[in-house]
Each structure stands twice: as C-alpha cells, then as structure tokens.
Amino acid sequence: MPRERIATWPNGRANRLSARLTETLAGARVITYDEIERYQVFAFDPGGSARNVDLPPEEVSEGAYLFISNMADAAEIITIRNDAGTTIGTPAQAECSIVWCDGVNWYGITGVKS
C-alpha cells in the first residue's frame, strides 16, 4: 500500500524537502526505513574512498523517493545499491542520484550535477 503523505505547510507556502546534513562516510552505509520516512535528501562525502550506500528493502519503501548527493572533494564514487546488492546508481564527485521505489524495485537516475 502506498504510504500516505500529508502536507505540513499551510497553503501558499513553498514545498520543502527534508534534508540531512552532509555525512562523511568511514565505510559502507545503510539507509534505514526510519530515515526514509524522515528525510528525502542525503548528502554523503565518501571520505577518501569509494563507498557503498544500501537502500532499505523494497517492500517497506513503496512510494519513497530520495536525492543522494556525492559531496566528495576528489574522484570518489558512491555506489547506491538495493538490499540485495544490485547497483541502482553510481554518482561521482559533485553528482547526485534520484532514486524511487514502487514497492517491488528501486529505480534511479544518476549524473545530475549537485
């Protein structure tokens, strides 16, 4: 069942996405179900090496859409994967991926400059 989203801003105000502060990674990172319920924008600095970022299981993520930005200061790639380890996107330095889930699969677009 698609999750219900209820607007929290009064009429006439701009829509807002919830964002986390940039996080420097020291290893692989798993985005949790609780995080996707709270945030739509994630910014990661791979911390000097290529890193994996894994998404929550599809069956609990239906209707989720996320913007994942690579804030690296060098040529470091983030590999965004589903919970089975399949690659969904690979944003390089200063790129981002937009990923979304239909409850069965994660999909993504990568290469958008951040």
Side-chain angles (χ1 to χ4, degrees):
M1 170 192 312
R3 63 173 53 88
E4 183 178 357
R5 298 288 187 186
I6 300 172
T8 57
W9 294 97
N11 289 340
R13 297 220 25 211
N15 187 21
R16 307 263 189 314
L17 294 173
S18 298
R20 286 183 50 102
L21 295 175
T22 299
E23 177 183 345
T24 300
L25 303 176
R29 171 73 154 78
V30 176
I31 296 175
T32 67
Y33 168 77
D34 290 338
E35 288 177 307
I36 68 167
E37 284 299 300
R38 185 166 182 194
Y39 303 108
Q40 292 83 46
V41 179
F42 294 83
F44 296 115
D45 178 343
S49 184
R51 305 286 185 197
N52 292 332
V53 172
D54 293 337
L55 301 166
E58 292 84 350
E59 58 272 8
V60 298
S61 303
E62 183 177 1
Y65 60 94
L66 308 173
F67 299 84
I68 301 173
S69 183
N70 183 338
M71 304 300 288
D73 60 358
E76 304 155 9
I77 291 178
I78 293 175
T79 301
I80 302 166
R81 308 181 310 175
N82 66 13
D83 62 323
T86 302
T87 299
I88 306 302
T90 53
Q93 178 186 15
E95 291 184 336
C96 69
S97 289
I98 302 168
V99 299
W100 65 95
C101 183
D102 65 3
V104 177
N105 293 297
W106 280 100
Y107 302 94
I109 299 171
T110 298
V112 181
K113 291 292 184 184
S114 53

